[in-house]
Amino acid sequence: MLIAHLSDPHLRPPGLLYQGLVDSNAMFETAIDCLNALDPAPDLVLISGDLVDEGTAAEYATAREAFARIRQPLLAIPGNHDEPGGFRACMADRMDLPSAGPMHFAAGGHGAVRIVGLDVTVPGEHHGAVDDATCRWLADALQDEPDRPTILMMHQPPFESGISFIDRYNCRGGDRLAALLARYSNVERVVCGHIHRFIQLRFGGTMLVTAPSTTTAIALRLAEDAEPASFVEPPALLLHHWKPGRGLVTHFVPIGDFPGPLPFF
């Protein structure tokens, strides 16, 4: 099973730039071109939050138009820049979401790997949180199919990356989430967005990866007093490839046109 994983497109109304500087809409269109050129084609597409930048109806109209070009089933989780009502309406024809409250989901009908989405957003805040109710929901969802290969998708990552100015807005309660996940050996990967960079680490007895944004990258500044900044680095997506007997392999796929193919050497 092939699962393409994009994140943080921060789409804007037509003609407006992300942060007034970057054409995030055009960059997402290029990401979809890359997605549609993959051979073999993915079975499923994930977007790990921040579909849009300000949560407006015009932005979600842009998102719906862009998503129409995605041929595969599409699953998404909201990010801190998403507006709940707009997100629900945008994704209504793609997936079943609760009509109120956190937009958790468990989707098992798209192939061998089950996708569990965990909505850790906090209304009005940029950080995420794992509270008692979230842990209860997740424990029940994982217990439903404890032997099935599973990917857990969330927006804010539940760890400190070392980039202090973005770590202020991570998902709080990471220790309790890690303890819960350690009880389930079938969780092949935890996948996140939010941080606009590719990062991987061991977490809760499994592997956690963050997907880069299809637009800007948060600056890799590891000094504790570093000034917040972003760069227009080459964007990328992740491709998760699951095979029986081997498990899940995650590939980093740059988005764009590059020289090649060249002779193998």
Side-chain angles (χ1 to χ4, degrees):
M1 183 177 180
L2 280 173
I3 302 165
H5 175 197
L6 297 85
S7 199
D8 296 82
H10 287 273
L11 297 172
R12 301 285 284 130
L16 294 184
L17 301 178
Y18 171 52
Q19 301 298 310
L21 297 170
V22 178
D23 193 345
S24 56
N25 295 0
M27 296 179 80
F28 190 62
E29 290 293 333
T30 302
I32 296 175
D33 291 341
C34 176
L35 172 68
N36 288 340
L38 292 172
D39 184 17
D43 301 292
L44 177 66
V45 176
L46 308 179
I47 303 180
S48 51
D50 283 355
L51 276 55
V52 302
D53 194 47
E54 295 184 354
T56 66
E59 289 179 333
Y60 283 113
T62 299
R64 285 177 63 90
E65 184 175 346
F67 294 168
R69 295 186 55 219
I70 296 177
R71 303 162 185 164
Q72 294 83 358
L74 173 64
L75 299 174
I77 201 75
N80 52 297
H81 284 261
D82 286 303
E83 191 280 320
F87 182 95
R88 284 187 174 92
C90 180
M91 298 302 299
D93 60 348
R94 290 285 195 162
M95 54 189 296
D96 293 325
L97 289 169
S99 59
M103 284 178 268
H104 310 317
F105 67 85
H110 301 294
V113 179
R114 184 180 188 227
I115 310 298
V116 174
L118 197 66
D119 179 3
V120 296
T121 57
V122 178
E125 302 290 345
H126 286 294
H127 70 271
V130 176
D131 58 15
D132 291 342
T134 301
C135 285
R136 287 194 297 270
W137 184 92
L138 180 58
D140 288 343
L142 294 176
Q143 188 56 46
D144 281 346
E145 296 191 67
D147 300 317
R148 185 170 178 184
T150 297
I151 288 176
L152 174 65
M153 177 168 64
M154 49 198 293
H155 181 62
Q156 292 96 335
F159 67 93
E160 290 188 355
S161 69
I163 305 172
S164 60
F165 55 85
I166 194 67
D167 286 342
R168 299 177 199 135
Y169 310 114
N170 68 358
C171 178
R172 298 168 189 177
D175 289 347
R176 68 190 306 185
L177 178 61
L180 192 161
L181 292 177
R183 293 157 38 193
Y184 297 92
S185 61
N186 62 314
V187 178
E188 293 273 353
R189 203 73 89 243
V190 179
V191 301
C192 305
H194 187 60
I195 207 162
H196 289 218
R197 300 199 67 85
F198 175 72
I199 300 173
Q200 64 178 351
L201 74 158
R202 289 192 59 78
F203 180 86
T206 185
M207 292 296 297
L208 184 153
V209 297
T210 66
S213 170
T214 59
T215 180
T216 56
I218 297 294
L220 182 57
R221 294 182 170 179
L222 299 177
E224 290 186 7
D225 59 350
E227 288 292 322
S230 294
F231 286 89
V232 184
E233 297 179 1
L237 59 86
L238 301 182
L239 190 63
H240 307 291
H241 185 200
W242 185 84
K243 290 180 68 175
R246 184 201 64 190
L248 196 72
V249 170
T250 295
H251 298 272
F252 179 94
V253 183
I255 294 168
D257 294 322
F258 306 98
L262 306 176
F264 182 81
F265 58 89

